[in-house]
Structures are given as structure tokens and as C-alpha cells.
Amino acid sequence: MCQDGAVATRTQRSPRRTEALSRERIVEAAVELLDTTGESGLTFRVLTERLATGPGAIYHHVANKGELLTVATDEIVAAALAVEPLASSPQDRIRAVALGLFDAIDAHPWVATQLSDSGWQATTPRILESIGRQVGALGVPEDDWFITTTVLMQYILGAAAQNAANARHVGPDANRAELLGAMAAEWAELDPGDYPFTRAVVGQMRDHDDREQFLAGIDLVLAGITALHLTGRQAAVHREP
């Protein structure tokens, strides 16, 4: 009887896993930790506790924290880029890519840091390819593909990162309308001689939507691409006999 009791105690203290540990499950748990605690909260010790496993099982799938961060970032970005637009023009596909990345970074702010730190490695070529194909489809000359595509990337990732940073700064429980209202009240009190423009746009700032503002920026960049690379060529084609 005592022996049976001892066996029962050991069984309670060491529950067996009911599913095999996979690379996908490790990445899923890592993303959950990154979303709730940030990069500093992702450690292999915490990860092993969450997955009820030993560090050896995790190291079998990923070599270190750096590789895990790279894989997690790539998974989030890949899902964002898989969003299909309702229309099929290059402009609409660029907007879909841009908004997918904006929403992904808004939901997972740590992704912005990883993309910034990774430079031209890892996930960056995936984004470059996704946008660059549409730049080519727009009719931009091949000699201008790199500059045009990277300018779009810089705007998309920079604006998305800034939006995520703003959200982190104010905190998850902040009331956006109240914060913008308080800022608008401060701007309205600025000296009209020194800040005529700022005072003039107080109402627009207070009532703006972040996603609409972001997409307006995409439209401005696309309009610039059209004016710089396409309008003159189209006009020349129309003038040909």
C-alpha cells in the first residue's frame, strides 16, 4: 500500500506530456511570451516551464534565442504577407502588404525591433520580394526597382514601428480619445504667432484614425511613384502616332 502511494505521488509530481514537442509549438509559445512580456521575458528557462519540458528538447529544434527570435519574426511576417487583397491591381496589392505588416506590428510590437536589428538578413528579403514584385508590376523601370521598393519598405516599417511605439508608451489601458483630446487642448493653447499651422490642424489630429493615416501615406508614396516614373511615359505613349 505504501509502495502504491509512493508511485501515485511520483506520478502527480511528474505529469507526462500528452503531445510531442514540435518546432511549431516552441515558436507558438515564444510568440505568446514575446507578446506578453517582450523580448526580455523570453528566456529558455521560462519557455521550458511553459512547455513542461527540458531545455534539451528545445535545443533540439532551435540553437539559441537569436534563432528563435528570427523564426518567430519570420512566421509573423509570413502570415502578414499572405493576406490577399480584394482587388488585383499592383497598387491594391501594395496596400494589402502594407496594411498586413502594419497590423502585424501593431499586434506584435517586438517584430519592429527584430526587423530593425536584423538589417538585410533573415526576414527582410521576404518583405523586399513581396513589395518589389508589385513595384515591377507598376511599370517602374528596372534601374529604379531597388530605390523605389526600399523607400516603400522604409515608410511601411518605420510608420508601423512608430505606431507600435506610441501604443507601448501610452500603455494598453489608455483611452486613446482622452489622450488625443488632452493633446489637442494643449495645442490649442500654443502661441498663434509661433504655431499657426499646429493650431489649424488641432481638430484633424484629435479625430484622426491611425490606420487611415498610414494608408494615406501609402497613397502619397504611390502617387509620387506614378508622377516620377509613369506619368511622363504614359503621356509620351499617347503622343505617338
Side-chain angles (χ1 to χ4, degrees):
M1 183 174 179
C2 179
Q3 184 177 6
D4 292 341
V7 171
T9 301
R10 284 197 300 273
T11 302
Q12 292 170 1
R13 290 178 180 174
S14 303
R16 298 183 64 181
R17 294 185 55 85
T18 58
E19 59 180 18
L21 185 65
S22 65
R23 182 182 175 93
E24 290 74 19
R25 178 65 191 113
I26 293 171
V27 173
E28 180 184 352
V31 169
E32 292 170 356
L33 282 171
L34 288 163
D35 287 346
T36 55
T37 63
E39 185 180 333
S40 62
L42 176 63
T43 66
F44 274 38
R45 180 184 63 79
V46 175
L47 198 57
T48 56
E49 292 175 355
R50 173 161 293 203
L51 294 169
T53 189
I58 296 178
Y59 284 117
H60 176 72
H61 293 283
V62 289
N64 49 50
K65 180 178 177 179
E67 180 183 340
L68 183 55
L69 283 166
T70 297
V71 174
T73 302
D74 193 60
E75 182 162 305
I76 296 298
V77 169
L81 297 180
V83 176
E84 291 290 337
L86 296 177
S88 57
S89 71
Q91 292 90 339
D92 287 327
R93 288 193 288 270
I94 287 172
R95 292 186 188 97
V97 167
L99 197 55
L101 289 169
F102 181 87
D103 289 340
I105 292 174
D106 185 52
H108 312 281
W110 51 271
V111 169
T113 302
Q114 292 306 308
L115 290 174
S116 174
D117 291 346
S118 67
W120 289 101
Q121 301 176 16
T123 304
T124 306
R126 186 190 293 276
I127 302 173
L128 187 72
E129 183 70 23
S130 184
I131 299 173
R133 289 186 184 185
Q134 306 314 318
V135 166
L138 282 172
V140 173
E142 187 171 349
D143 288 347
D144 296 306
W145 281 1
F146 176 76
I147 289 179
T148 304
T149 302
T150 51
V151 165
L152 266 167
M153 280 183 59
Q154 288 168 2
Y155 170 74
I156 292 168
L157 298 181
Q162 185 60 57
N163 177 73
N166 291 341
R168 275 200 312 274
H169 178 70
V170 301
D173 300 324
N175 185 305
R176 182 178 181 278
E178 290 181 0
L179 287 171
L180 292 179
M183 186 181 298
E186 291 180 5
W187 287 15
E189 295 300 321
L190 293 172
D191 186 290
D194 293 334
Y195 299 95
F197 173 83
T198 302
R199 285 171 55 93
V201 299
V202 164
Q204 297 174 39
M205 183 278 293
R206 183 190 59 236
D207 300 328
H208 84 278
D209 179 272
D210 294 328
R211 291 171 92 249
E212 290 180 1
Q213 180 188 39
F214 173 75
L215 285 175
I218 294 295
D219 287 341
L220 286 171
V221 177
L222 289 175
I225 292 172
T226 299
L228 184 63
H229 295 296
L230 308 179
T231 304
R233 182 190 305 173
Q234 292 168 350
V237 169
H238 289 310
R239 286 196 300 269
E240 291 180 357

PDB file of all heavy atoms in Angstrom, residues 23-29 31 68-82 104 108 110-111 123 126:
ATOM      1  N   ARG A  23       8.736  22.016 -33.328  1.00  0.00           N
ATOM      2  CA  ARG A  23       9.287  23.354 -33.575  1.00  0.00           C
ATOM      3  C   ARG A  23       8.158  24.379 -33.631  1.00  0.00           C
ATOM      4  O   ARG A  23       8.288  25.483 -33.104  1.00  0.00           O
ATOM      5  CB  ARG A  23      10.068  23.339 -34.885  1.00  0.00           C
ATOM      6  CG  ARG A  23      10.754  24.653 -35.255  1.00  0.00           C
ATOM      7  CD  ARG A  23      11.439  24.487 -36.587  1.00  0.00           C
ATOM      8  NE  ARG A  23      12.035  25.710 -37.092  1.00  0.00           N
ATOM      9  CZ  ARG A  23      13.301  26.086 -36.903  1.00  0.00           C
ATOM     10  NH1 ARG A  23      14.100  25.322 -36.181  1.00  0.00           N
ATOM     11  NH2 ARG A  23      13.772  27.203 -37.430  1.00  0.00           N
ATOM     12  N   GLU A  24       7.031  23.985 -34.243  1.00  0.00           N
ATOM     13  CA  GLU A  24       5.891  24.895 -34.352  1.00  0.00           C
ATOM     14  C   GLU A  24       5.350  25.267 -32.981  1.00  0.00           C
ATOM     15  O   GLU A  24       5.004  26.426 -32.730  1.00  0.00           O
ATOM     16  CB  GLU A  24       4.782  24.256 -35.201  1.00  0.00           C
ATOM     17  CG  GLU A  24       5.104  24.117 -36.673  1.00  0.00           C
ATOM     18  CD  GLU A  24       6.104  23.009 -36.961  1.00  0.00           C
ATOM     19  OE1 GLU A  24       6.279  22.120 -36.076  1.00  0.00           O
ATOM     20  OE2 GLU A  24       6.713  23.020 -38.049  1.00  0.00           O
ATOM     21  N   ARG A  25       5.270  24.311 -32.081  1.00  0.00           N
ATOM     22  CA  ARG A  25       4.757  24.585 -30.730  1.00  0.00           C
ATOM     23  C   ARG A  25       5.726  25.471 -29.953  1.00  0.00           C
ATOM     24  O   ARG A  25       5.299  26.348 -29.194  1.00  0.00           O
ATOM     25  CB  ARG A  25       4.521  23.274 -29.981  1.00  0.00           C
ATOM     26  CG  ARG A  25       4.028  23.473 -28.549  1.00  0.00           C
ATOM     27  CD  ARG A  25       2.650  24.122 -28.501  1.00  0.00           C
ATOM     28  NE  ARG A  25       2.290  24.538 -27.146  1.00  0.00           N
ATOM     29  CZ  ARG A  25       2.154  25.793 -26.765  1.00  0.00           C
ATOM     30  NH1 ARG A  25       2.345  26.789 -27.623  1.00  0.00           N
ATOM     31  NH2 ARG A  25       1.812  26.078 -25.519  1.00  0.00           N
ATOM     32  N   ILE A  26       7.004  25.274 -30.152  1.00  0.00           N
ATOM     33  CA  ILE A  26       8.006  26.113 -29.486  1.00  0.00           C
ATOM     34  C   ILE A  26       7.869  27.556 -29.951  1.00  0.00           C
ATOM     35  O   ILE A  26       7.867  28.497 -29.144  1.00  0.00           O
ATOM     36  CB  ILE A  26       9.430  25.583 -29.769  1.00  0.00           C
ATOM     37  CG1 ILE A  26       9.634  24.225 -29.097  1.00  0.00           C
ATOM     38  CG2 ILE A  26      10.479  26.580 -29.277  1.00  0.00           C
ATOM     39  CD1 ILE A  26      10.921  23.534 -29.513  1.00  0.00           C
ATOM     40  N   VAL A  27       7.732  27.748 -31.257  1.00  0.00           N
ATOM     41  CA  VAL A  27       7.599  29.100 -31.810  1.00  0.00           C
ATOM     42  C   VAL A  27       6.301  29.735 -31.324  1.00  0.00           C
ATOM     43  O   VAL A  27       6.267  30.922 -30.972  1.00  0.00           O
ATOM     44  CB  VAL A  27       7.645  29.058 -33.349  1.00  0.00           C
ATOM     45  CG1 VAL A  27       7.336  30.433 -33.935  1.00  0.00           C
ATOM     46  CG2 VAL A  27       9.011  28.580 -33.820  1.00  0.00           C
ATOM     47  N   GLU A  28       5.225  28.963 -31.294  1.00  0.00           N
ATOM     48  CA  GLU A  28       3.943  29.477 -30.806  1.00  0.00           C
ATOM     49  C   GLU A  28       4.053  29.959 -29.361  1.00  0.00           C
ATOM     50  O   GLU A  28       3.574  31.052 -29.018  1.00  0.00           O
ATOM     51  CB  GLU A  28       2.888  28.379 -30.908  1.00  0.00           C
ATOM     52  CG  GLU A  28       1.505  28.801 -30.423  1.00  0.00           C
ATOM     53  CD  GLU A  28       0.506  27.655 -30.436  1.00  0.00           C
ATOM     54  OE1 GLU A  28       0.833  26.568 -30.955  1.00  0.00           O
ATOM     55  OE2 GLU A  28      -0.620  27.847 -29.911  1.00  0.00           O
ATOM     56  N   ALA A  29       4.713  29.170 -28.519  1.00  0.00           N
ATOM     57  CA  ALA A  29       4.891  29.571 -27.122  1.00  0.00           C
ATOM     58  C   ALA A  29       5.795  30.794 -27.014  1.00  0.00           C
ATOM     59  O   ALA A  29       5.574  31.680 -26.169  1.00  0.00           O
ATOM     60  CB  ALA A  29       5.470  28.402 -26.320  1.00  0.00           C
ATOM     61  N   VAL A  31       6.124  33.212 -29.241  1.00  0.00           N
ATOM     62  CA  VAL A  31       5.337  34.378 -29.659  1.00  0.00           C
ATOM     63  C   VAL A  31       4.420  34.827 -28.528  1.00  0.00           C
ATOM     64  O   VAL A  31       4.283  36.032 -28.260  1.00  0.00           O
ATOM     65  CB  VAL A  31       4.513  34.050 -30.928  1.00  0.00           C
ATOM     66  CG1 VAL A  31       3.493  35.159 -31.218  1.00  0.00           C
ATOM     67  CG2 VAL A  31       5.438  33.872 -32.126  1.00  0.00           C
ATOM     68  N   LEU A  68      15.567  31.583 -32.381  1.00  0.00           N
ATOM     69  CA  LEU A  68      14.145  31.518 -32.047  1.00  0.00           C
ATOM     70  C   LEU A  68      13.449  32.839 -32.378  1.00  0.00           C
ATOM     71  O   LEU A  68      12.335  32.848 -32.920  1.00  0.00           O
ATOM     72  CB  LEU A  68      13.972  31.178 -30.563  1.00  0.00           C
ATOM     73  CG  LEU A  68      12.541  31.001 -30.058  1.00  0.00           C
ATOM     74  CD1 LEU A  68      11.787  29.959 -30.878  1.00  0.00           C
ATOM     75  CD2 LEU A  68      12.550  30.609 -28.580  1.00  0.00           C
ATOM     76  N   LEU A  69      14.090  33.959 -32.082  1.00  0.00           N
ATOM     77  CA  LEU A  69      13.525  35.267 -32.413  1.00  0.00           C
ATOM     78  C   LEU A  69      13.383  35.439 -33.929  1.00  0.00           C
ATOM     79  O   LEU A  69      12.381  35.971 -34.416  1.00  0.00           O
ATOM     80  CB  LEU A  69      14.406  36.376 -31.845  1.00  0.00           C
ATOM     81  CG  LEU A  69      14.288  36.638 -30.342  1.00  0.00           C
ATOM     82  CD1 LEU A  69      15.436  37.511 -29.865  1.00  0.00           C
ATOM     83  CD2 LEU A  69      12.959  37.289 -30.008  1.00  0.00           C
ATOM     84  N   THR A  70      14.388  34.972 -34.657  1.00  0.00           N
ATOM     85  CA  THR A  70      14.336  35.068 -36.119  1.00  0.00           C
ATOM     86  C   THR A  70      13.185  34.255 -36.687  1.00  0.00           C
ATOM     87  O   THR A  70      12.426  34.732 -37.549  1.00  0.00           O
ATOM     88  CB  THR A  70      15.666  34.575 -36.726  1.00  0.00           C
ATOM     89  OG1 THR A  70      16.723  35.429 -36.295  1.00  0.00           O
ATOM     90  CG2 THR A  70      15.611  34.595 -38.247  1.00  0.00           C
ATOM     91  N   VAL A  71      13.028  33.035 -36.197  1.00  0.00           N
ATOM     92  CA  VAL A  71      11.965  32.160 -36.693  1.00  0.00           C
ATOM     93  C   VAL A  71      10.595  32.731 -36.330  1.00  0.00           C
ATOM     94  O   VAL A  71       9.662  32.722 -37.142  1.00  0.00           O
ATOM     95  CB  VAL A  71      12.130  30.736 -36.134  1.00  0.00           C
ATOM     96  CG1 VAL A  71      10.944  29.863 -36.536  1.00  0.00           C
ATOM     97  CG2 VAL A  71      13.427  30.112 -36.630  1.00  0.00           C
ATOM     98  N   ALA A  72      10.461  33.234 -35.105  1.00  0.00           N
ATOM     99  CA  ALA A  72       9.180  33.795 -34.668  1.00  0.00           C
ATOM    100  C   ALA A  72       8.817  35.027 -35.496  1.00  0.00           C
ATOM    101  O   ALA A  72       7.666  35.200 -35.913  1.00  0.00           O
ATOM    102  CB  ALA A  72       9.250  34.160 -33.183  1.00  0.00           C
ATOM    103  N   THR A  73       9.792  35.877 -35.746  1.00  0.00           N
ATOM    104  CA  THR A  73       9.556  37.068 -36.559  1.00  0.00           C
ATOM    105  C   THR A  73       9.142  36.686 -37.972  1.00  0.00           C
ATOM    106  O   THR A  73       8.196  37.244 -38.540  1.00  0.00           O
ATOM    107  CB  THR A  73      10.822  37.947 -36.610  1.00  0.00           C
ATOM    108  OG1 THR A  73      11.196  38.318 -35.280  1.00  0.00           O
ATOM    109  CG2 THR A  73      10.596  39.198 -37.444  1.00  0.00           C
ATOM    110  N   ASP A  74       9.853  35.734 -38.546  1.00  0.00           N
ATOM    111  CA  ASP A  74       9.556  35.306 -39.913  1.00  0.00           C
ATOM    112  C   ASP A  74       8.147  34.726 -40.016  1.00  0.00           C
ATOM    113  O   ASP A  74       7.453  34.943 -41.014  1.00  0.00           O
ATOM    114  CB  ASP A  74      10.581  34.270 -40.373  1.00  0.00           C
ATOM    115  CG  ASP A  74      10.513  34.021 -41.867  1.00  0.00           C
ATOM    116  OD1 ASP A  74      10.713  34.977 -42.633  1.00  0.00           O
ATOM    117  OD2 ASP A  74      10.248  32.874 -42.267  1.00  0.00           O
ATOM    118  N   GLU A  75       7.721  34.011 -38.984  1.00  0.00           N
ATOM    119  CA  GLU A  75       6.379  33.430 -39.019  1.00  0.00           C
ATOM    120  C   GLU A  75       5.307  34.514 -38.994  1.00  0.00           C
ATOM    121  O   GLU A  75       4.310  34.436 -39.725  1.00  0.00           O
ATOM    122  CB  GLU A  75       6.191  32.481 -37.831  1.00  0.00           C
ATOM    123  CG  GLU A  75       4.845  31.793 -37.818  1.00  0.00           C
ATOM    124  CD  GLU A  75       4.822  30.564 -36.923  1.00  0.00           C
ATOM    125  OE1 GLU A  75       5.652  29.674 -37.112  1.00  0.00           O
ATOM    126  OE2 GLU A  75       3.945  30.519 -36.035  1.00  0.00           O
ATOM    127  N   ILE A  76       5.495  35.540 -38.153  1.00  0.00           N
ATOM    128  CA  ILE A  76       4.520  36.631 -38.086  1.00  0.00           C
ATOM    129  C   ILE A  76       4.478  37.386 -39.414  1.00  0.00           C
ATOM    130  O   ILE A  76       3.405  37.710 -39.949  1.00  0.00           O
ATOM    131  CB  ILE A  76       4.876  37.594 -36.939  1.00  0.00           C
ATOM    132  CG1 ILE A  76       4.795  36.899 -35.578  1.00  0.00           C
ATOM    133  CG2 ILE A  76       3.956  38.819 -36.973  1.00  0.00           C
ATOM    134  CD1 ILE A  76       3.425  36.386 -35.218  1.00  0.00           C
ATOM    135  N   VAL A  77       5.645  37.666 -39.979  1.00  0.00           N
ATOM    136  CA  VAL A  77       5.710  38.415 -41.235  1.00  0.00           C
ATOM    137  C   VAL A  77       5.113  37.604 -42.381  1.00  0.00           C
ATOM    138  O   VAL A  77       4.374  38.140 -43.215  1.00  0.00           O
ATOM    139  CB  VAL A  77       7.168  38.814 -41.544  1.00  0.00           C
ATOM    140  CG1 VAL A  77       7.289  39.356 -42.966  1.00  0.00           C
ATOM    141  CG2 VAL A  77       7.643  39.863 -40.543  1.00  0.00           C
ATOM    142  N   ALA A  78       5.419  36.313 -42.421  1.00  0.00           N
ATOM    143  CA  ALA A  78       4.883  35.467 -43.490  1.00  0.00           C
ATOM    144  C   ALA A  78       3.359  35.465 -43.468  1.00  0.00           C
ATOM    145  O   ALA A  78       2.704  35.536 -44.518  1.00  0.00           O
ATOM    146  CB  ALA A  78       5.420  34.049 -43.362  1.00  0.00           C
ATOM    147  N   ALA A  79       2.780  35.397 -42.283  1.00  0.00           N
ATOM    148  CA  ALA A  79       1.319  35.420 -42.166  1.00  0.00           C
ATOM    149  C   ALA A  79       0.764  36.770 -42.614  1.00  0.00           C
ATOM    150  O   ALA A  79      -0.288  36.838 -43.266  1.00  0.00           O
ATOM    151  CB  ALA A  79       0.908  35.131 -40.727  1.00  0.00           C
ATOM    152  N   ALA A  80       1.472  37.853 -42.286  1.00  0.00           N
ATOM    153  CA  ALA A  80       1.014  39.192 -42.686  1.00  0.00           C
ATOM    154  C   ALA A  80       1.046  39.354 -44.201  1.00  0.00           C
ATOM    155  O   ALA A  80       0.148  39.960 -44.791  1.00  0.00           O
ATOM    156  CB  ALA A  80       1.882  40.261 -42.026  1.00  0.00           C
ATOM    157  N   LEU A  81       2.056  38.804 -44.837  1.00  0.00           N
ATOM    158  CA  LEU A  81       2.203  38.958 -46.284  1.00  0.00           C
ATOM    159  C   LEU A  81       1.273  38.042 -47.067  1.00  0.00           C
ATOM    160  O   LEU A  81       1.099  38.219 -48.276  1.00  0.00           O
ATOM    161  CB  LEU A  81       3.653  38.668 -46.698  1.00  0.00           C
ATOM    162  CG  LEU A  81       4.710  39.621 -46.130  1.00  0.00           C
ATOM    163  CD1 LEU A  81       6.096  39.213 -46.610  1.00  0.00           C
ATOM    164  CD2 LEU A  81       4.421  41.065 -46.516  1.00  0.00           C
ATOM    165  N   ALA A  82       0.680  37.082 -46.387  1.00  0.00           N
ATOM    166  CA  ALA A  82      -0.207  36.132 -47.068  1.00  0.00           C
ATOM    167  C   ALA A  82      -1.610  36.688 -47.281  1.00  0.00           C
ATOM    168  O   ALA A  82      -2.438  36.046 -47.916  1.00  0.00           O
ATOM    169  CB  ALA A  82      -0.288  34.834 -46.271  1.00  0.00           C
ATOM    170  N   ALA A 104       0.237  43.564 -38.184  1.00  0.00           N
ATOM    171  CA  ALA A 104       1.063  42.556 -37.512  1.00  0.00           C
ATOM    172  C   ALA A 104       1.974  43.195 -36.476  1.00  0.00           C
ATOM    173  O   ALA A 104       2.122  42.686 -35.358  1.00  0.00           O
ATOM    174  CB  ALA A 104       1.890  41.790 -38.541  1.00  0.00           C
ATOM    175  N   HIS A 108       2.067  42.714 -32.560  1.00  0.00           N
ATOM    176  CA  HIS A 108       3.308  42.121 -32.044  1.00  0.00           C
ATOM    177  C   HIS A 108       4.420  43.172 -32.126  1.00  0.00           C
ATOM    178  O   HIS A 108       5.261  43.107 -33.030  1.00  0.00           O
ATOM    179  CB  HIS A 108       3.693  40.881 -32.849  1.00  0.00           C
ATOM    180  CG  HIS A 108       2.570  39.908 -33.073  1.00  0.00           C
ATOM    181  ND1 HIS A 108       2.143  39.013 -32.099  1.00  0.00           N
ATOM    182  CD2 HIS A 108       1.775  39.693 -34.149  1.00  0.00           C
ATOM    183  CE1 HIS A 108       1.157  38.280 -32.578  1.00  0.00           C
ATOM    184  NE2 HIS A 108       0.912  38.682 -33.800  1.00  0.00           N
ATOM    185  N   TRP A 110       7.224  43.733 -30.807  1.00  0.00           N
ATOM    186  CA  TRP A 110       8.612  43.254 -30.803  1.00  0.00           C
ATOM    187  C   TRP A 110       9.111  42.943 -32.216  1.00  0.00           C
ATOM    188  O   TRP A 110      10.319  42.952 -32.458  1.00  0.00           O
ATOM    189  CB  TRP A 110       8.739  42.011 -29.925  1.00  0.00           C
ATOM    190  CG  TRP A 110       7.738  40.944 -30.227  1.00  0.00           C
ATOM    191  CD1 TRP A 110       6.489  40.800 -29.696  1.00  0.00           C
ATOM    192  CD2 TRP A 110       7.883  39.870 -31.179  1.00  0.00           C
ATOM    193  NE1 TRP A 110       5.845  39.717 -30.248  1.00  0.00           N
ATOM    194  CE2 TRP A 110       6.675  39.125 -31.139  1.00  0.00           C
ATOM    195  CE3 TRP A 110       8.910  39.468 -32.031  1.00  0.00           C
ATOM    196  CZ2 TRP A 110       6.480  37.997 -31.943  1.00  0.00           C
ATOM    197  CZ3 TRP A 110       8.712  38.353 -32.833  1.00  0.00           C
ATOM    198  CH2 TRP A 110       7.512  37.623 -32.782  1.00  0.00           C
ATOM    199  N   VAL A 111       8.189  42.687 -33.147  1.00  0.00           N
ATOM    200  CA  VAL A 111       8.586  42.400 -34.527  1.00  0.00           C
ATOM    201  C   VAL A 111       9.334  43.582 -35.132  1.00  0.00           C
ATOM    202  O   VAL A 111      10.300  43.405 -35.882  1.00  0.00           O
ATOM    203  CB  VAL A 111       7.351  42.028 -35.383  1.00  0.00           C
ATOM    204  CG1 VAL A 111       7.711  41.986 -36.866  1.00  0.00           C
ATOM    205  CG2 VAL A 111       6.791  40.685 -34.944  1.00  0.00           C
ATOM    206  N   THR A 123      14.359  37.916 -42.365  1.00  0.00           N
ATOM    207  CA  THR A 123      13.022  38.164 -42.897  1.00  0.00           C
ATOM    208  C   THR A 123      12.980  39.285 -43.933  1.00  0.00           C
ATOM    209  O   THR A 123      12.066  39.328 -44.759  1.00  0.00           O
ATOM    210  CB  THR A 123      12.079  38.500 -41.724  1.00  0.00           C
ATOM    211  OG1 THR A 123      12.129  37.431 -40.787  1.00  0.00           O
ATOM    212  CG2 THR A 123      10.651  38.675 -42.191  1.00  0.00           C
ATOM    213  N   ARG A 126      12.142  38.612 -47.596  1.00  0.00           N
ATOM    214  CA  ARG A 126      10.758  38.207 -47.839  1.00  0.00           C
ATOM    215  C   ARG A 126       9.883  39.436 -48.086  1.00  0.00           C
ATOM    216  O   ARG A 126       9.026  39.448 -48.975  1.00  0.00           O
ATOM    217  CB  ARG A 126      10.229  37.410 -46.634  1.00  0.00           C
ATOM    218  CG  ARG A 126       8.849  36.821 -46.858  1.00  0.00           C
ATOM    219  CD  ARG A 126       8.285  36.268 -45.562  1.00  0.00           C
ATOM    220  NE  ARG A 126       8.983  35.130 -45.038  1.00  0.00           N
ATOM    221  CZ  ARG A 126       8.759  33.854 -45.423  1.00  0.00           C
ATOM    222  NH1 ARG A 126       7.855  33.607 -46.354  1.00  0.00           N
ATOM    223  NH2 ARG A 126       9.436  32.860 -44.886  1.00  0.00           N
TER     224      ARG A 126
END
